[in-house]
Amino acid sequence: MCGNNMSAPLPAIVPAARKATAAVIFLHGLGDTGHGWSEALAGIKSPHVKYICPHAPVMPVSLNMNMSMPSWFDIIGLSPDSQEDEAGIKQAAENVKALIDQEVKNGIPSNRIILGGFSQGGALSLYTALTTHQKLAGVIALSCWLPLRASFPQGPISGVNKDIAVLQCHGDCDPLVPVMFGSLTVEKLKTMINPANVTFKTYSGMMHSSSLEEMMDVKQFIDKHLPPID
Ligand SMILES: *[C@@H]1O[C@H](CO)[C@@H](O)[C@H](O)[C@H]1NC(C)=O
Ligand SMILES: *[C@@H]1O[C@H](CO)[C@@H](O)[C@H](O)[C@H]1NC(C)=O
Ligand SMILES: *[C@@H]1O[C@H](CO)[C@@H](O)[C@H](O)[C@H]1NC(C)=O
């Protein structure tokens, strides 16, 4: 899109109204782009926070008969026992870590960054937060699941994000990623990190989508964990 090589287009960004002292990096779902989420986040923005919504690379997706679409990694199936694209998930997490490093270089410490996402993007945000050495301010995991869950320990994880604050949200009428996967993920998370820091919210009648009520909960979480500093 810009520049003269084939690298992915630059993320959609909602700049801070004043000096950015915190950031939210939000990863969209399968087949989407960062634009819709950047508009949604612009609707709940705080003046000291920069919102970054990258776009996934376009790749063939097994689940969709190898059709090419924006996707952070390959998805083979949506049931809990489906085979997973381990190499693709790990590479995607590396790319997100590089994006975090870039913001750190721009002057925002990683513990002033919240990582979040919807569906496949939410799954990637959870996986990245639980495996990175960058201490984050929190994770917002919407309508999603924990990828490669067998790769995580049975008990508490070690590492910088073992007490990380997690907001997990799910529509109770989700036909694509059933709310049961969300609650199983929460149960698993509570064994891995401090359970006092995990919040699970379900939304009555909501499908595989978002809602105003959910966005208000997202705003409240961001304001709590990324308060203004002067
Ligand atoms: C493509 O452009 C990006 C951004 O300017 C740069 O980081 C990357 O190294 C470039 N890649 C190649 C193969 O030139
Ligand atoms: C998708 O591509 C893979 C690898 O190229 C191939 O093995 C598989 O049969 C293809 N699936 C469909 C539904 O075309
Ligand atoms: C996690 O929970 C503990 C115990 O309630 C609390 O002291 C700590 O501040 C929480 N951490 C975060 C990041 O919210």
Side-chain angles (χ1 to χ4, degrees):
M1 298 281 177
C2 46
N4 47 17
N5 69 29
M6 297 297 285
S7 64
L10 294 172
I13 289 182
V14 182
R18 46 186 172 88
K19 182 181 155 49
T21 60
V24 173
I25 298 176
F26 196 92
L27 310 171
H28 64 74
L30 182 67
D32 198 3
T33 70
H35 295 297
W37 284 104
S38 72
E39 279 166 31
L41 291 166
I44 57 160
K45 68 185 177 185
S46 299
H48 62 288
V49 181
K50 173 185 181 184
Y51 303 83
I52 302 158
C53 300
H55 311 296
V58 173
M59 64 172 75
V61 174
S62 302
L63 178 71
N64 291 338
M65 312 246 282
N66 290 342
M67 210 165 31
S68 284
M69 61 186 63
S71 185
W72 301 107
F73 49 84
D74 193 21
I75 297 187
I76 296 135
L78 283 178
S79 75
D81 55 359
S82 297
Q83 195 193 327
E84 290 182 280
D85 174 18
E86 180 172 350
I89 292 165
K90 289 182 170 165
Q91 182 55 55
E94 290 307 314
N95 297 345
V96 175
K97 291 176 201 173
L99 204 56
I100 296 168
D101 277 339
Q102 208 173 314
E103 288 316 304
V104 172
K105 280 201 196 104
N106 287 341
I108 300 176
S110 68
N111 66 4
R112 293 280 293 164
I113 297 176
I114 285 179
L115 190 57
F118 173 77
S119 192
Q120 186 194 39
L124 179 56
S125 70
L126 269 182
Y127 182 82
T128 305
L130 294 171
T131 56
T132 184
H133 300 301
Q134 299 150 319
K135 187 171 172 65
L136 299 170
V139 186
I140 299 169
L142 308 183
S143 307
C144 70
W145 67 94
L146 177 64
L148 303 178
R149 67 188 188 286
S151 70
F152 289 100
Q154 285 300 336
I157 58 166
S158 53
V160 289
N161 290 323
K162 63 181 176 7
D163 289 329
I164 194 169
V166 178
L167 174 64
Q168 201 173 322
C169 302
H170 220 114
D172 73 356
C173 291
D174 190 331
L176 207 61
V177 182
V179 66
M180 174 59 81
F181 297 0
S183 43
L184 287 172
T185 296
V186 166
E187 291 322 308
K188 172 76 180 155
L189 278 177
K190 283 181 170 173
T191 66
M192 292 165 60
I193 64 177
N194 187 340
N197 302 123
V198 181
T199 304
F200 185 45
K201 300 219 162 179
T202 60
Y203 301 87
S204 169
M206 193 171 86
M207 299 181 64
H208 196 60
S209 62
S210 182
S211 70
L212 195 57
E213 188 189 354
E214 181 184 58
M215 288 310 286
M216 286 302 132
D217 289 332
V218 167
K219 177 175 174 53
Q220 197 174 50
F221 180 84
I222 293 171
D223 288 346
K224 179 175 176 194
H225 295 284
L226 297 177
I229 45 171
D230 289 300

